[in-house]
Amino acid sequence: MKKKLIAGILGVTMIAGMITGCGGGSGESSDGTTTIKYATYSAGPDHLEDMDAMIEEFEKQNPDIKVDVEVIGYDDYFTKLQTQASSKTLPDVFEMNYENFNTYAGNGVLLDLTELADGDEDFSPDMLTGNTYEYFQNNGKLYGLTEKVSDVVLYYNKDMFDAAGLEYPQADWTWDDLLTAAQALTKDGVYGFYAPVTYNELYKVVAQNGGALFDEDGNPTIDSAENVEALQWMLDKMLKYHIQPTSEEMSGKTPEDMFKNSEIAMEVTGSWMVTTFADAPFEWDIALEPGNTDQVHHVFADGIVASADTKNAEAAWKLIKFLSTDPTAAKIRLDSSWDLPATNDESVQEQYTSQEKPEHREVIFEAMETGIMPPVVDHYAEVQNAINEQLNRAVIGQQSAEDALKAAQEEVTNILK
């Protein structure tokens, strides 16, 4: 059966026209094959052929299972999932990010995979790297397997460091060390450093200063003294020390473009950017990101889950396990620079670390040892937007760091009531 691949970002009109029940195209056919539906956001638009190759390999290994793939743009993906969850028409298997996972698991729309995993003699938790087996668990039950991981590290222009006579960033650097180097590099239209001032950056930076946006019970602690100090550091890099460009100074250019154009000497960004920077016309490398009281790094994860209403649980589990742990699937992902597979296969990890650039690619694995995942709270998107709004006001000088976090504390408290 030819795989149906729906590429690109689906508009609202298209989404409305394409919503179908799980049974339409899923199930066992007269020849004994089982067809399941799989939905993904990360395959489009750059990895459609890679997705085809993975499914072709899966169907080769499982000739009695056919997979219909639907690729949905990220901006529309979770809107469509919510509609399907309400009408019990979710795909058999679908991609899920960590930030949204607990909401779906808590609402009872995901298939409990615990017994399937425990009863599978060809599966064990140590087939996944580090503690990634635990990422898609909820209340002690397994609802998904981590598909791929990424983190955030410090990229730096070695040529600029050499010209300035500076030591390259070291694993024990602190914010002060970063500031000193960035000040020396900021000259002649070049900025020493860049990191965004957003929610996704804030939750990591406050942790680097011993703070947290939420306590262990999920209560907001946004305006703590540690957090105010961390936000002040983020703002000072732009507004006090001028080692980082403001939005106006960037003139519509992305920080990645500015780094490749030698307009930024150091940038904090994701491990997925190693491919983007591969053809940069200068020597560059990566290092662990400096912290203040603690060294902390972003870790992001995407997983594969199944619908609680699927009629094909065994087939769904096989696809989940394949996309997460199969070495061939992982090799396809690596060959196309489609994030870092979660499999613990040594040959896969060696293939990743042995690539020519950057020289210290192993830093990406080292960063995961001090990684934190995004805080998971109810109404996650609403909370994120509320905090970002206050951060934006602080960036343009409408309010202080303390006032921004006080306002965010009040708004988020009301959201979570």
Side-chain angles (χ1 to χ4, degrees), residues 241-290:
Y241 301 116
H242 305 291
I243 61 171
Q244 174 172 326
T246 63
S247 296
E248 291 77 11
E249 290 166 337
M250 294 175 75
S251 302
K253 292 180 286 189
T254 68
E256 288 74 28
D257 285 341
M258 293 183 72
F259 182 79
K260 289 187 72 171
N261 292 335
S262 297
E263 297 173 278
I264 290 175
M266 293 182 283
E267 180 186 359
V268 169
T269 190
S271 54
W272 54 88
M273 293 303 297
V274 294
T275 304
T276 300
F277 295 148
D279 61 350
F282 53 82
E283 292 300 314
W284 60 275
D285 206 348
I286 59 174
L288 293 173
E289 183 181 349

Side-chain angles (χ1 to χ4, degrees), residues 142-190:
L142 180 71
Y143 289 96
L145 294 181
T146 303
E147 165 199 23
K148 52 191 174 68
V149 292
S150 56
D151 54 24
V152 171
V153 294
L154 179 68
Y155 291 73
Y156 63 96
N157 185 318
K158 295 176 69 174
D159 289 356
M160 286 186 176
F161 272 78
D162 291 343
L166 296 173
E167 179 185 43
Y168 297 148
Q170 301 296 304
D172 60 353
W173 267 25
T174 65
W175 288 353
D176 287 340
D177 296 311
L178 176 69
L179 176 61
T180 299
Q183 286 176 317
L185 293 162
T186 301
K187 57 184 177 180
D188 302 328
V190 174

Side-chain angles (χ1 to χ4, degrees), residues 69-281:
V69 180
E70 184 176 12
V71 182
I72 307 170
Y74 184 83
D75 290 344
D76 295 313
Y77 186 82
F78 289 99
T79 300
K80 181 167 186 179
L81 282 191
Q82 289 172 5
T83 301
Q84 292 176 322
S86 298
S87 59
K88 296 185 180 298
T89 58
L90 283 165
D92 298 278
V93 181
F94 51 101
E95 198 170 26
M96 174 63 59
N97 63 4
Y98 177 83
E99 293 89 332
N100 286 291
F101 163 68
N102 281 319
T103 298
Y104 280 79
N107 288 337
V109 299
L110 301 184
L111 179 67
D112 181 356
L113 302 171
T114 309
E115 291 186 6
L116 287 165
D118 290 345
D120 189 340
E121 295 181 356
D122 297 322
F123 175 79
S124 65
D126 61 10
M127 294 171 70
L128 285 91
T129 188
N131 62 347
T132 56
Y133 177 73
E134 302 171 5
Y135 288 173
F136 291 90
Q137 295 186 27
N138 183 278
N139 291 328
K141 296 181 179 181
L142 180 71
Y143 289 96
L145 294 181
T146 303
E147 165 199 23
K148 52 191 174 68
V149 292
S150 56
D151 54 24
V152 171
V153 294
L154 179 68
Y155 291 73
Y156 63 96
N157 185 318
K158 295 176 69 174
D159 289 356
M160 286 186 176
F161 272 78
D162 291 343
L166 296 173
E167 179 185 43
Y168 297 148
Q170 301 296 304
D172 60 353
W173 267 25
T174 65
W175 288 353
D176 287 340
D177 296 311
L178 176 69
L179 176 61
T180 299
Q183 286 176 317
L185 293 162
T186 301
K187 57 184 177 180
D188 302 328
V190 174
Y191 293 91
F193 180 77
Y194 181 85
V197 184
T198 62
Y199 171 85
N200 278 334
E201 185 72 5
L202 179 67
Y203 78 74
K204 174 198 64 179
V205 176
V206 300
Q208 292 175 344
N209 198 43
L213 297 182
F214 302 90
D215 64 21
E216 294 181 355
D217 297 320
N219 300 309
T221 55
I222 299 168
D223 60 348
S224 72
E226 295 86 354
N227 294 355
V228 171
E229 184 178 29
L231 177 55
Q232 191 65 59
W233 158 246
M234 295 170 70
L235 297 173
D236 282 350
K237 285 179 290 183
M238 284 188 300
L239 307 179
K240 179 179 178 180
Y241 301 116
H242 305 291
I243 61 171
Q244 174 172 326
T246 63
S247 296
E248 291 77 11
E249 290 166 337
M250 294 175 75
S251 302
K253 292 180 286 189
T254 68
E256 288 74 28
D257 285 341
M258 293 183 72
F259 182 79
K260 289 187 72 171
N261 292 335
S262 297
E263 297 173 278
I264 290 175
M266 293 182 283
E267 180 186 359
V268 169
T269 190
S271 54
W272 54 88
M273 293 303 297
V274 294
T275 304
T276 300
F277 295 148
D279 61 350

Side-chain angles (χ1 to χ4, degrees), residues 217-375:
D217 297 320
N219 300 309
T221 55
I222 299 168
D223 60 348
S224 72
E226 295 86 354
N227 294 355
V228 171
E229 184 178 29
L231 177 55
Q232 191 65 59
W233 158 246
M234 295 170 70
L235 297 173
D236 282 350
K237 285 179 290 183
M238 284 188 300
L239 307 179
K240 179 179 178 180
Y241 301 116
H242 305 291
I243 61 171
Q244 174 172 326
T246 63
S247 296
E248 291 77 11
E249 290 166 337
M250 294 175 75
S251 302
K253 292 180 286 189
T254 68
E256 288 74 28
D257 285 341
M258 293 183 72
F259 182 79
K260 289 187 72 171
N261 292 335
S262 297
E263 297 173 278
I264 290 175
M266 293 182 283
E267 180 186 359
V268 169
T269 190
S271 54
W272 54 88
M273 293 303 297
V274 294
T275 304
T276 300
F277 295 148
D279 61 350
F282 53 82
E283 292 300 314
W284 60 275
D285 206 348
I286 59 174
L288 293 173
E289 183 181 349
N292 194 31
T293 62
D294 299 278
Q295 190 172 56
V296 179
H297 296 83
H298 287 296
V299 174
F300 301 102
D302 292 300
I304 309 293
V305 299
S307 167
D309 295 316
T310 181
K311 296 178 175 59
N312 306 294
E314 289 281 353
W317 164 249
K318 288 181 179 180
L319 180 59
I320 290 171
K321 181 178 68 171
F322 172 85
L323 292 172
S324 173
T325 66
D326 184 82
T328 301
K331 186 177 187 305
I332 292 170
R333 191 178 296 281
L334 284 181
D335 287 344
S336 62
S337 301
W338 185 8
D339 287 331
L340 182 62
T343 178
N344 200 29
D345 187 277
E346 289 185 6
S347 64
V348 171
Q349 294 188 3
E350 182 179 355
Q351 178 187 347
Y352 185 80
T353 57
S354 64
Q355 297 179 51
E356 182 178 355
K357 282 189 175 183
E359 179 182 355
H360 293 96
R361 187 176 282 247
E362 70 277 1
V363 163
I364 292 171
F365 289 102
E366 294 171 6
M368 292 183 186
E369 297 176 9
T370 54
I372 60 170
M373 302 292 284

Side-chain angles (χ1 to χ4, degrees), residues 402-417:
E402 183 176 5
D403 288 342
L405 295 189
K406 281 184 177 179
Q409 172 78 16
E410 183 177 347
E411 286 191 41
V412 171
T413 299
N414 290 332
I415 291 171
L416 296 180
K417 279 184 179 178

